[in-house]
Amino acid sequence: MLAIKRAKPEDIKRVTEIARESFPDPWSEESFARELTADGAFYVAENDGSLDGYIIIRSMGEEYEILDVAVAQSARRDGIGEAMLATAVSFAFESWGKKVWLEVRESNEAALGLYKKYKFKEVGRRKGYYSNPTEDAILMERQL
Ligand SMILES: CC(C)(COP(=O)(O)OP(=O)(O)OC[C@H]1O[C@@H](n2cnc3c(N)ncnc32)[C@H](O)[C@@H]1OP(=O)(O)O)[C@@H](O)C(=O)NCCC(=O)NCCS
């Protein structure tokens, strides 16, 4: 059974592992640990007791930004990303947020597919925003 829960300090090691298999420039353990107490919410997905994904949403007044989201490679395409995104967007909505936005690499078809399915709209582009490899960022947002 899938459960989306608030991250705890003991989850950080596994979260860092998932980030390492998901990104060329993953966050460090210390960066994840800082998010445990930042404004916003940090959730993990537990699938039959196994920690298989995480999402971090940051609050900036009425705006919320999805800072990071990843699912373990072995657990992808099974609805976990969508369940975590739904939880993060609900958190923003229940906190009186007006919109949620995020940036995504233009070649990241999986993430673009997930966000479009979850009613995020493309609203802009940042030229050459990412390095390693250099790539544009697509800016997306969902009004709440
Ligand atoms: C993006 C990511 C989080 C999606 O998580 P997931 O649990 O595999 O996604 P879900 O199973 O919930 O998929 C939800 C929808 O997203 C889209 N999607 C997911 N994977 C996709 C893929 N490989 N190709 C195209 N669309 C995809 C589909 O619309 C899917 O709905 P469907 O299965 O009904 O077609 C995951 O691929 C991942 O961790 N990628 C590496 C890290 C990353 O890129 N994070 C985003 C940074 S902006």
Side-chain angles (χ1 to χ4, degrees):
M1 210 185 67
L2 181 64
I4 312 296
K5 303 176 173 174
R6 288 294 190 120
K8 301 188 290 298
E10 56 268 35
D11 296 332
I12 296 299
K13 272 213 156 28
R14 175 69 183 135
V15 163
T16 309
E17 255 175 43
I18 296 173
R20 288 194 182 130
E21 63 175 51
S22 299
F23 300 107
D25 49 354
W27 288 20
S28 65
E29 234 174 90
E30 294 71 34
S31 306
F32 282 118
R34 273 197 295 275
E35 292 301 323
L36 290 169
T37 52
D39 277 349
F42 184 173
Y43 295 103
V44 292
E46 271 185 25
N47 204 6
D48 291 332
S50 151
L51 199 164
D52 280 344
Y54 67 88
I55 191 165
I56 297 170
I57 182 167
R58 175 71 66 78
S59 133
M60 289 162 296
E62 293 181 337
E63 291 191 9
Y64 286 73
E65 180 184 3
I66 305 286
L67 285 187
D68 202 10
V69 52
V71 172
Q73 263 170 25
S74 58
R76 288 187 191 157
R77 214 62 201 258
D78 200 20
I80 296 178
E82 197 173 338
M84 295 195 301
L85 188 60
T87 303
V89 169
S90 295
F91 167 80
F93 182 72
E94 283 158 16
S95 315
W96 306 100
K98 293 273 196 295
K99 76 174 181 189
V100 180
W101 64 277
L102 55 86
E103 282 149 355
V104 53
R105 282 182 182 267
E106 65 174 343
S107 68
N108 193 342
E109 285 180 20
L112 284 165
L114 168 65
Y115 302 140
K116 282 179 188 155
K117 186 173 181 192
Y118 214 70
K119 299 192 205 112
F120 280 77
K121 298 264 183 292
E122 188 173 330
V123 291
R125 176 180 284 261
R126 297 196 209 278
K127 274 267 166 227
Y129 180 77
Y130 292 106
S131 49
N132 189 20
T134 302
E135 213 177 317
D136 290 0
I138 307 289
L139 199 62
M140 301 184 88
E141 68 177 43
R142 179 172 158 174
Q143 302 289 337
L144 300 176

